[in-house]
Amino acid sequence: MLKVIKFFFTAVILLALLATALVYGALALSLPALTGVSTVDVLSDTTYLQRDDLGTAIVVAQNRADASYALGYAHGQDRFFQMDLLRRNAAGELSEFFGIAALPRDELTRFHLFRKRSRDIVNQLPSQHRQQLEAYAKGVNDAVSHSTFPSFEYLVTQTDREPWLPEDSLLVIFSMYLDLQGRSLKRDLTFGVIEDHFGPEMVTFLSQPSKYQAALDGSRFELKKVDIPLLPTQSVSAALVHDIDESPLVGSNNWAVGGSLTRNGLAMLSDDMHLGINVPVIWYRAQLNYQQDGKPLQITGVTLPGAPAVVVGANGHIAWGFTNGYMDTADWYELGAEDKTTFVLEDIPTKQGNHKYLLEMSEIGPVTILGGKKYALSWVAYQKYAVNLNLLNLETSETVDAALSACKDAGIPVQNMVVADKEGNIGWQATGAIPDRRMPAQRPLPASQYDLAWHNQAKDVPFVVNPKRSMVWTGNSRVVSTKQDARFGNGGYALGARSAQIKQRLFEKDLFDPEDFYRIQLDNEAYFLDRWHTVLLAVLQKDTARFAEDIKEVENWQRCACADSVGYTLVRKYRDALMDSLFAPLETQLTKSDLSLGVLERQLEPALWQLVSEKPESWLPNGQGDWDVFFADTYEKMRDDLMLKMTDHVDGSLQALRWGDVNQLNVQHPFSRQIPLLSSLLDMPKAPGFGDRYMPAVQGQSFGASQRLIVQPGDEVNGILTLPGGQSGHPLSPFYRKGFDEYIEQASTPLLPAQPIYQIVFTRHQSSSIDH
């Protein structure tokens, strides 16, 4: 019997080892070749794709089209599956990968008809830009064809690799529209439902301006006394407490100072874009070296796999960075019986065959039905100027003025572009697709008020060059003046606390070096929560016996989102719990229309603070005897729920609620979320949480600075570019995890690539022999 058991276990171990060997063998076969020679008919001359120890793609070409080919080849080798997901995400074609479970998402996306729009735009592009897309697509497809064994994602999903088309690069840009503006599309509908059920006074109350304002011109909205509207008794009694989803922190920080404020006399720029942090990371390091009009160019920064442009970076003369602009770029229009509509039948491919999706269209845009009424969406993403390749103009710009001028008609989601140049100048501009319509709305309008100016891109975009203090800063809150705000509208601005803290840090110093900028990027002090800390401490101190341990932790909260701070967790989560409870009547009503206050959450601070300060009787949640009891009970429930989540029981030490554990950074591959057994192979090591929402050091559990850039034009050799992960999406690649440790350790990874250690030569004259 013992021999049988021994044989059984030996067999199991051998089979496990064999399975592991087969998996690793299959993975190894799909590794791309990093050295070799290939013949390419579309190139004008010999072109080189080199890589350094980090895997940075270093392209050396004779012209931009050849550089686009080589960049496409690099992206195709390292990131094709991620590119595939981006184009399918925008086109509403994920069900072909993941089956009918992805159909609801595909239908939501197919509503926008981005595949059709991409095809139309490609045909309208200037010939030189079509040439870039075609060369890039050729590079991507050559890389895929040279890898005869598909990557593991295609083996798992049992799908084929479809060729990359020029229109797919535009779909990648549309995917960014969905990420950066998609959630804001429901703002107007949300305000409309609130006004219909709770009156215009409620809209005024919820949308009142905050004390946290940091516009570049110093202008401020007046903080007038706003009356708290009565809440109907039936709304309070029917309320169910929902977690109001925190709006995504999609946005970023950037700022710059002129040469007069740096120790070496060169202007300096900082940019850290806040996006989801996954495996692999969204950005891809690259340096493009090519000639234009006999002049050598070198552009270094990050690219978005799927598109041929350097998104953020420097070219030796200028440096540029972006944050999401959050201007109002979408309006809903209520259709009447006289407004004609048509129907479009869309085929959504799935593993089980095509799914028919019927979409109603109007002359304004696609139609949805809410409360028995038809509403048409006008979104800047539907306009012909929404997507183009004009961002490429930055590569040849040499001054701030030239850069701002070159990008006034860039076809990207509107961004706060900050630029610095070699001569010490700095500037800011609202850059991207901004509609020329003059009256942005906060709730749906009658269709008769549709403005044909939607079809034109705004020419009067706001900008600032070399302001008096020689500083510019943005953090997704209002940057424009109060007067300009009426012109361009609020599309979901951030609260302003983060921008105000960046501004404060800049005003604290007279001279800066890169280390000073890095400290601001990593600033996790909790100025915004100061007053909430005071509120919570007062609540707890009314019952010292009940909350003795809690009081100790809150008193020692360190005033920062520090990994070892329990007090920070308690203050932060208490504010959230108050918001969920106090706004439950509104959230309950909105959920009936498949809407949520989550799209307004970042601007509810003034209303929330007013409720907590004034304690209006009609807003006291149902079943609560008085406000003091409500405050204490809300805290205790919040704490116990959090303890259950972290430890599976409510007793025990509050040390389980350290912020570094509650907000632990968990960078995962999409597949490991569905197949946890793959976690050790695919995911990055977990790291203690550092940072939060309302401070420069933005970080959530799978969110945060997707890159950290600090650069002085003319001194790129001392520039910093740190990413939370590696270049390749292949788990056996030497570049898969490169850079992650430095990001977590808050180290300074160089902007410029190191000496290349791999090289692929693309030539028209030699036979193809990519080495494996």
Side-chain angles (χ1 to χ4, degrees), residues 446-680:
S448 59
Q449 294 185 23
Y450 179 72
D451 188 347
L452 291 175
W454 266 105
H455 303 298
N456 303 320
Q457 189 167 11
K459 301 300 183 185
D460 57 334
V461 296
F463 67 94
V464 172
V465 176
N466 292 333
K468 186 176 180 180
R469 291 188 67 104
S470 199
M471 299 175 177
V472 294
W473 60 87
T474 83
N476 312 122
S477 60
R478 176 178 61 88
V479 180
V480 301
S481 69
T482 53
K483 182 178 180 180
Q484 290 170 328
D485 182 75
R487 159 72 177 92
F488 296 102
N490 179 350
Y493 285 135
L495 176 63
R498 178 161 41 93
S499 298
Q501 191 162 331
I502 293 169
K503 175 183 176 181
Q504 177 182 334
R505 293 307 193 202
L506 291 174
F507 278 32
E508 288 172 355
K509 294 182 67 67
D510 296 322
L511 286 175
F512 297 88
D513 56 29
E515 289 73 22
D516 296 318
F517 270 29
Y518 215 160
R519 278 191 288 272
I520 298 176
Q521 287 188 356
L522 301 175
D523 179 10
N524 67 348
E525 290 201 43
Y527 290 108
F528 167 70
L529 288 178
D530 264 344
R531 63 182 184 178
W532 291 105
H533 172 262
T534 301
V535 165
L536 177 55
L537 201 54
V539 168
L540 300 180
Q541 287 174 340
K542 289 181 179 179
D543 195 341
T544 56
R546 179 183 176 190
F547 297 120
E549 184 183 0
D550 309 71
I551 292 170
K552 180 181 176 181
E553 295 296 346
V554 172
E555 286 180 334
N556 298 322
W557 76 313
Q558 301 178 60
R559 201 196 190 196
C560 66
C562 297
D564 60 347
S565 177
V566 173
Y568 180 85
T569 301
L570 299 177
V571 174
R572 165 72 158 81
K573 294 299 184 180
Y574 182 56
R575 176 185 176 272
D576 294 349
L578 288 174
M579 180 176 289
D580 292 343
S581 295
L582 290 175
F583 291 117
L586 279 71
E587 185 71 0
T588 299
Q589 183 61 52
L590 288 167
T591 56
K592 297 176 184 178
S593 300
D594 196 27
L595 297 171
S596 171
L597 281 172
V599 297
L600 311 177
E601 180 266 338
R602 297 198 296 185
Q603 294 176 289
L604 294 179
E605 173 70 10
L608 177 63
W609 183 254
Q610 193 172 351
L611 291 174
V612 170
S613 302
E614 298 184 21
K615 307 177 184 66
E617 184 177 347
S618 74
W619 283 75
L620 187 63
N622 192 41
Q624 294 290 340
D626 60 48
W627 279 89
D628 286 342
V629 173
F630 164 69
F631 286 146
D633 288 353
T634 299
Y635 170 77
E636 193 166 43
K637 183 178 187 307
M638 175 278 298
R639 181 202 61 196
D640 291 351
D641 287 348
L642 199 55
M643 285 290 289
L644 279 171
K645 181 179 179 181
M646 298 299 294
T647 67
D648 291 328
H649 56 80
V650 298
D651 300 320
S653 170
L654 290 179
Q655 292 305 304
L657 303 183
R658 290 185 295 266
W659 183 244
D661 298 326
V662 171
N663 195 41
Q664 184 181 60
L665 182 61
N666 187 14
V667 181
Q668 294 182 280
H669 190 282
F671 278 26
S672 75
R673 295 190 181 100
Q674 306 301 321
I675 312 172
L677 287 175
L678 296 176
S679 180
S680 60

Side-chain angles (χ1 to χ4, degrees), residues 30 104 135 141 191 208 236 241 257 289 323 377 385 453 455 505 571 573 577 600 661 755 768:
S30 63
N141 292 326
F191 274 127
Q208 60 183 300
V236 177
V241 176
V257 299
N289 300 271
T323 73
L377 175 62
Y385 54 83
H455 303 298
R505 293 307 193 202
V571 174
K573 294 299 184 180
L600 311 177
D661 298 326
Q755 278 294 115
S768 179

Side-chain angles (χ1 to χ4, degrees), residues 90 114 117-118 121 170-178 381 386-387:
F114 282 145
R117 299 182 195 281
S118 294
I121 291 173
L170 304 189
L171 280 170
V172 167
I173 301 175
F174 277 127
S175 194
M176 295 307 294
Y177 268 98
L178 291 171
V387 172

Side-chain angles (χ1 to χ4, degrees), residues 20-36:
T20 301
L22 289 173
V23 169
Y24 272 82
L27 285 173
L29 287 173
S30 63
L31 275 168
L34 303 178
T35 61

Side-chain angles (χ1 to χ4, degrees), residues 386-442:
V387 172
N388 57 45
L389 294 189
N390 290 342
L391 195 65
L392 294 175
N393 296 336
L394 284 174
E395 296 181 3
T396 56
S397 298
E398 297 187 354
T399 66
V400 165
D401 287 336
L404 299 185
S405 177
C407 287
K408 284 189 182 295
D409 56 356
I412 57 174
V414 60
Q415 301 289 294
N416 295 304
M417 183 174 77
V418 169
V419 185
D421 70 25
K422 192 174 181 179
E423 303 306 316
N425 303 299
I426 60 172
W428 161 85
Q429 180 174 272
T431 296
I434 305 172
D436 200 37
R437 64 90 161 80
R438 298 290 165 144
M439 297 294 291
Q442 194 167 251

